[in-house]
Amino acid sequence: MPDKFDDLRKRKQKSKLGGGPDKTEAQHKKGKLTARERIELLVDEGSFEEIDMFVKHRATDFGIGSKRYPGDGVVTGFAKIDGRPVALYSQDFTVFGGSLSESHAEKIIKIMNMAMKLGIPVIGLNDSGGARIQEGVVSLGGYADIFLLNTLASGVIPQISVVMGPCAGGAVYSPAITDFIFMVKNTSYMFVTGPNVVKTVTHEEVSFEDLGGAETHASKSGVAHFIYENEIETLVNVRHLISYLPQNFMDKPADLVFNESTLTADKRLDSIIPDNSNKPYDMKQVINLLVDDNDFFEVQAEYAENIIIGFGRIGGMSVGIVANQPEVLAGVLDIKASAKGARFVRFCDAFNIPLLVLVDVPGFLPGTEQEWGGIITNGAKLLYAFCEATVPKVTVITRKAYGGAYDVMNSKHIRGDFNFAWPSAEIAVMGPKGAVEIIFKKEITAAENPEAELEKKLSEYIEKFANPYIAAERGYIDDVIFPRDTKVKLVSALKILKTKVDKNPGKKHGNIPL
Ligand code: HXC
């Protein structure tokens, strides 16, 4: 028996070596950690339970039959993050460049199927040269099997992709279907076709980093939700994200203990809105004063910055925050901002995370670029997402809520549960100047002093419409509140909404304007 134990020890040891010390050294030299080192950093100490470490590929073509590494380029198993179970896979670049073979795919599929049965999040650490070239179509089939499972798992369990090396070709579509993509600056990239193909087809010269690096996907394409300087920082933040999420769609996010004595009026909120309503201010200041410990975990921070999305806790309760940012493009809704907001709202709704919506929006962005680019369809995404969401939904209008954007930003009419406004709120069909120039055009042009007439009409309009009280008279606004009391009101609203149940009509699925 001791011999057999010894044999088992050796086999396990061999599997843990991956592609061997040389390949590990090459990986380290690139500034990258190995698949197992990453897992160790990601999960609670000693919690990782590996499975399938003896799996090998079954291919024989192109001399690959003699090179069979136990584990076959991906480490899979279960672990805990802050005591809560997760399933994970971590591709091992030291074995055939982490490329995906039939058996490599089967390991990932096994983990994903288990994660769905167990109702636990799945985290994929991607570092792969793509389809195992020697296996041809069998590898493509493996990818398709994963794409199908990613789709079936969508909305059932949270799925997180962490891209820590190459991710190219069709392989990008697995992360793309998952809920969140993390990337590491300078060592990870994602693209459908690489720089060489780009050069052949479009004659553009572009580097790996510019085409599909972390910065590109964080700011230009919006593909990456989070990017960090290095792998360690990235993995720490994956843990942070998980802390806001429930385990599955039937679960609720865990509440943290909240020190009620800290819940008092905060006068700093009273002085954020400038006297001149056309002056910008930073909505993140408002958010930071509302979330516990000023801890706002922003999503897609560098993309479509005119809308802010992210997670925070209010009174210990996890919330998804959607806010217009008056500091960027006056907080207007454009194509990118609408799509960014919509996907986030749908994630929160799928996973029972209440929504807090902070509104200061002058409307939708005008112009041919926006119209021809489909602002109608894209704006409708955000509208649809808020309309269909049945989670607790709380809105605070801090200043402007003009036109269609008033309706879209979680208004009462589309099932906002608590809709508050600050006294500085201006709820109207459009901004005062535009409105007056249209409805009093004749009077202004005919007046002896058109400028004075414009000013007169402007102040009449502002007096009448640029306030929250007409909306409040109708009950479209549940309460006009002092800014300083906002957090107290939010904690109370979120507590009241704990037992909220709302349902959409039965259907196969809706048809969001994609
Ligand atoms: C088999 C692969 C591989 C692959 C890398 N390797 N990619 N083996 N299939 N797809 C092997 C290499 O032969 C090498 O083995 C080892 O992994 C490390 O690769 P290097 O090239 O030495 O590493 P590096 O210089 O860092 O370059 C990494 C790389 C490059 C940029 C990823 O390897 C590369 O371009 N690979 C091919 C990428 C590709 O075209 N994949 C197919 C994409 S299409 P040895 O033994 O020499 O160390 C695709 C379709 C998916 O994936 C479709 C889904 C629907």
Coordinates of all heavy atoms in Angstrom, one line a residue, residues 23 30 32 64 67 69 93-100 128-134 139-140 143-144 147 166 168-171 173 189 208, ligand 1:
K23 N 8.6 26.5 -18.1 CA 7.4 27.2 -18.5 C 6.8 28.1 -17.4 O 6.4 29.2 -17.7 CB 6.2 26.2 -18.9 CG 6.6 25.4 -20.1 CD 6.2 26.1 -21.4 CE 6.9 25.6 -22.7 NZ 6.7 24.3 -23.0
K30 N 7.0 37.1 -17.7 CA 6.0 37.9 -18.4 C 5.2 38.8 -17.4 O 4.3 39.5 -17.8 CB 5.0 37.1 -19.2 CG 5.6 36.5 -20.5 CD 4.5 35.7 -21.2 CE 5.1 34.7 -22.2 NZ 4.3 33.5 -22.4
K32 N 3.4 37.4 -15.1 CA 2.1 36.7 -14.9 C 2.3 35.6 -13.8 O 3.4 35.0 -13.7 CB 1.6 36.1 -16.1 CG 1.3 37.1 -17.3 CD 0.4 36.6 -18.4 CE 0.9 35.4 -19.1 NZ 0.0 34.9 -20.2
I64 N 1.0 15.2 -31.0 CA 0.6 15.7 -29.6 C 0.4 14.5 -28.7 O 0.4 14.6 -27.4 CB -0.6 16.6 -29.7 CG1 -0.8 17.5 -28.5 CG2 -1.9 15.8 -30.0 CD1 -1.8 18.5 -28.5
K67 N 2.6 14.1 -25.8 CA 2.7 15.2 -24.8 C 1.4 15.2 -24.1 O 0.4 15.9 -24.6 CB 3.0 16.5 -25.5 CG 4.3 16.6 -26.2 CD 4.5 18.1 -26.6 CE 5.4 18.2 -27.8 NZ 5.2 19.4 -28.5
Y69 N -0.2 16.2 -20.5 CA 0.0 16.7 -19.1 C -1.3 16.5 -18.3 O -2.4 16.9 -18.7 CB 0.3 18.2 -19.2 CG 1.5 18.6 -20.0 CD1 1.5 18.8 -21.3 CD2 2.7 18.7 -19.3 CE1 2.6 19.1 -22.1 CE2 3.9 19.1 -20.0 CZ 3.8 19.3 -21.4 OH 4.9 19.6 -22.1
F93 N -1.4 28.5 -18.6 CA -0.7 28.8 -19.9 C 0.5 28.0 -20.1 O 1.0 27.9 -21.2 CB -0.4 30.3 -19.9 CG 0.1 30.8 -21.3 CD1 -0.9 31.2 -22.2 CD2 1.4 30.9 -21.6 CE1 -0.5 31.6 -23.5 CE2 1.8 31.4 -22.9 CZ 0.9 31.7 -23.8
T94 N 1.0 27.4 -19.0 CA 2.3 26.6 -19.1 C 2.0 25.3 -19.8 O 3.0 24.6 -20.2 CB 2.9 26.3 -17.7 OG1 2.1 25.4 -17.0 CG2 3.1 27.6 -17.0
V95 N 0.8 24.9 -20.0 CA 0.5 23.7 -20.8 C -0.2 24.1 -22.1 O -1.3 24.6 -22.1 CB -0.5 22.8 -19.9 CG1 -0.9 21.6 -20.8 CG2 0.2 22.4 -18.6
F96 N 0.5 23.8 -23.2 CA 0.0 24.2 -24.5 C -0.6 25.6 -24.6 O -1.7 25.8 -25.1 CB -1.1 23.2 -25.0 CG -0.6 21.8 -25.1 CD1 -1.1 20.8 -24.3 CD2 0.4 21.4 -26.0 CE1 -0.7 19.4 -24.4 CE2 0.8 20.1 -26.2 CZ 0.3 19.1 -25.4
G97 N 0.0 26.5 -23.9 CA -0.4 27.9 -23.9 C -1.9 28.0 -23.4 O -2.6 28.9 -23.8
G98 N -2.3 27.1 -22.5 CA -3.6 27.2 -21.9 C -4.7 26.9 -23.0 O -5.9 27.2 -22.7
S99 N -4.3 26.4 -24.1 CA -5.3 26.2 -25.2 C -6.3 25.2 -24.8 O -6.1 24.3 -24.0 CB -4.6 25.9 -26.5 OG -3.8 24.7 -26.3
L100 N -7.5 25.3 -25.5 CA -8.7 24.6 -25.1 C -8.8 23.3 -25.9 O -9.1 23.4 -27.1 CB -9.9 25.5 -25.2 CG -11.2 24.9 -24.7 CD1 -11.9 25.8 -23.6 CD2 -12.2 24.6 -25.8
S128 N -5.2 32.0 -22.2 CA -5.3 30.9 -23.2 C -5.0 31.3 -24.6 O -5.4 32.4 -25.1 CB -6.7 30.2 -23.1 OG -6.9 29.4 -24.2
G129 N -4.3 30.5 -25.4 CA -4.0 30.7 -26.8 C -5.2 30.3 -27.6 O -5.1 30.3 -28.9
G130 N -6.3 30.0 -27.1 CA -7.5 29.7 -27.8 C -7.7 28.3 -28.1 O -7.3 27.4 -27.3
A131 N -8.4 28.0 -29.2 CA -8.7 26.6 -29.6 C -7.3 25.8 -29.7 O -6.4 26.3 -30.3 CB -9.4 26.5 -30.9
R132 N -7.3 24.6 -29.1 CA -6.1 23.7 -29.3 C -6.0 23.4 -30.8 O -6.8 22.6 -31.3 CB -6.2 22.5 -28.4 CG -5.1 21.5 -28.5 CD -4.0 21.7 -27.5 NE -4.3 22.0 -26.1 CZ -4.5 21.2 -25.1 NH1 -4.3 19.9 -25.3 NH2 -4.7 21.6 -23.9
I133 N -5.0 23.9 -31.4 CA -4.9 23.9 -32.9 C -4.9 22.4 -33.4 O -5.5 22.0 -34.3 CB -3.7 24.7 -33.4 CG1 -4.0 26.2 -33.1 CG2 -3.5 24.5 -34.9 CD1 -2.7 27.1 -33.3
Q134 N -4.1 21.6 -32.6 CA -4.0 20.2 -33.0 C -5.3 19.4 -33.0 O -5.5 18.3 -33.6 CB -3.0 19.4 -32.1 CG -1.6 19.9 -32.2 CD -1.3 21.1 -31.2 OE1 -2.2 21.8 -30.8 NE2 -0.1 21.3 -30.8
S139 N -12.1 21.0 -30.7 CA -11.9 22.2 -29.8 C -13.0 23.2 -30.0 O -13.5 23.8 -29.0 CB -10.5 22.7 -30.0 OG -10.4 24.0 -29.4
L140 N -13.3 23.5 -31.3 CA -14.4 24.4 -31.5 C -15.7 24.0 -30.9 O -16.4 24.8 -30.3 CB -14.6 24.6 -33.0 CG -13.4 25.1 -33.8 CD1 -13.9 25.4 -35.3 CD2 -12.9 26.4 -33.2
Y143 N -15.7 24.9 -27.3 CA -16.0 26.3 -27.0 C -17.5 26.5 -27.1 O -18.1 27.1 -26.2 CB -15.4 27.2 -28.0 CG -14.0 27.7 -27.6 CD1 -12.8 27.4 -28.3 CD2 -13.9 28.5 -26.4 CE1 -11.6 27.9 -27.8 CE2 -12.7 29.0 -26.0 CZ -11.5 28.6 -26.7 OH -10.3 29.1 -26.3
A144 N -18.1 25.9 -28.1 CA -19.6 26.1 -28.3 C -20.3 25.5 -27.1 O -21.3 26.1 -26.6 CB -20.0 25.4 -29.6
F147 N -20.1 28.1 -24.5 CA -20.9 29.3 -24.8 C -22.4 29.0 -24.4 O -23.1 29.8 -23.8 CB -20.9 29.7 -26.3 CG -19.5 30.0 -26.8 CD1 -19.3 29.9 -28.1 CD2 -18.5 30.5 -25.9 CE1 -18.0 30.2 -28.6 CE2 -17.3 30.8 -26.4 CZ -17.0 30.7 -27.8
P166 N -3.8 36.1 -23.0 CA -4.5 36.2 -24.2 C -5.9 35.7 -24.1 O -6.2 34.7 -23.4 CB -3.6 35.3 -25.2 CG -2.6 34.7 -24.4 CD -2.6 35.1 -23.0
A168 N -8.4 35.3 -27.5 CA -8.6 35.8 -28.8 C -9.5 34.9 -29.6 O -9.8 33.8 -29.2 CB -7.2 35.9 -29.5
G169 N -9.9 35.5 -30.8 CA -10.8 34.7 -31.6 C -12.2 34.5 -31.0 O -12.6 35.2 -30.1
G170 N -12.8 33.4 -31.4 CA -14.2 33.2 -30.8 C -14.1 33.0 -29.3 O -15.2 33.1 -28.6
A171 N -12.9 32.7 -28.7 CA -12.8 32.5 -27.3 C -13.3 33.7 -26.5 O -13.7 33.5 -25.3 CB -11.4 32.2 -26.9
Y173 N -16.0 35.1 -26.7 CA -17.4 35.2 -26.5 C -17.9 34.5 -25.2 O -19.0 34.7 -24.8 CB -18.1 34.6 -27.7 CG -18.0 35.7 -28.9 CD1 -17.3 35.4 -30.0 CD2 -18.5 36.9 -28.7 CE1 -17.1 36.4 -31.0 CE2 -18.4 37.9 -29.7 CZ -17.7 37.6 -30.8 OH -17.5 38.6 -31.8
Y189 N -5.1 40.7 -23.0 CA -5.7 41.3 -24.2 C -6.9 40.4 -24.7 O -6.9 39.2 -24.6 CB -4.7 41.6 -25.3 CG -3.9 40.5 -25.8 CD1 -4.3 39.6 -26.7 CD2 -2.6 40.3 -25.2 CE1 -3.5 38.6 -27.2 CE2 -1.8 39.2 -25.6 CZ -2.2 38.4 -26.6 OH -1.5 37.3 -27.0
F208 N -0.9 45.1 -30.0 CA -1.8 44.2 -29.2 C -2.5 45.0 -28.2 O -3.7 44.9 -28.0 CB -1.0 43.1 -28.5 CG -0.7 41.9 -29.3 CD1 0.0 42.0 -30.5 CD2 -1.1 40.7 -29.0 CE1 0.3 40.9 -31.3 CE2 -0.9 39.5 -29.7 CZ -0.2 39.7 -30.9
Ligands
HXC1 C1 -2.0 24.7 -29.3 C2 -0.8 26.4 -28.5 C3 -1.8 27.3 -28.9 C4 -3.0 26.8 -29.5 C5 -0.2 28.5 -28.0 N1 0.2 27.2 -28.0 N2 -1.4 28.6 -28.6 N3 -0.9 25.1 -28.7 N4 -3.0 25.5 -29.7 N5 -4.0 27.6 -29.8 C6 1.4 26.7 -27.5 C7 2.6 27.1 -28.3 O1 2.8 26.2 -29.3 C8 3.7 27.0 -27.2 O2 4.1 25.6 -27.1 C9 3.1 27.4 -26.0 O3 1.7 27.3 -26.2 C10 3.3 28.9 -25.6 O4 3.0 29.6 -26.8 P1 4.1 30.8 -27.3 O5 3.7 31.1 -28.7 O6 5.5 30.3 -27.1 O7 3.7 32.0 -26.3 P2 3.7 33.5 -26.5 O8 4.9 33.9 -27.3 O9 3.4 34.1 -25.2 O10 2.4 33.7 -27.5 C11 1.1 33.4 -27.0 C12 0.1 33.5 -28.2 C13 0.6 32.6 -29.3 C14 0.0 34.9 -28.7 C15 -1.3 33.0 -27.6 O11 0.9 31.3 -28.8 C16 -0.4 32.4 -30.4 O12 -0.6 33.3 -31.2 N6 -1.1 31.2 -30.3 C17 -2.1 30.9 -31.3 C18 -3.3 31.7 -31.0 C19 -4.4 31.3 -32.0 O13 -4.4 31.6 -33.2 N7 -5.3 30.5 -31.5 C20 -6.4 30.1 -32.2 C21 -7.4 31.2 -32.2 S1 -8.9 30.9 -32.9 P3 5.6 25.2 -26.8 O14 5.5 23.7 -26.7 O15 6.4 25.6 -27.9 O16 6.0 25.8 -25.5 C22 -9.7 30.3 -31.7 C23 -11.0 30.0 -32.1 C24 -11.9 29.8 -31.0 O17 -9.3 30.2 -30.6 C25 -13.2 29.6 -31.6 C26 -14.3 29.4 -30.6 C27 -15.6 29.4 -31.4

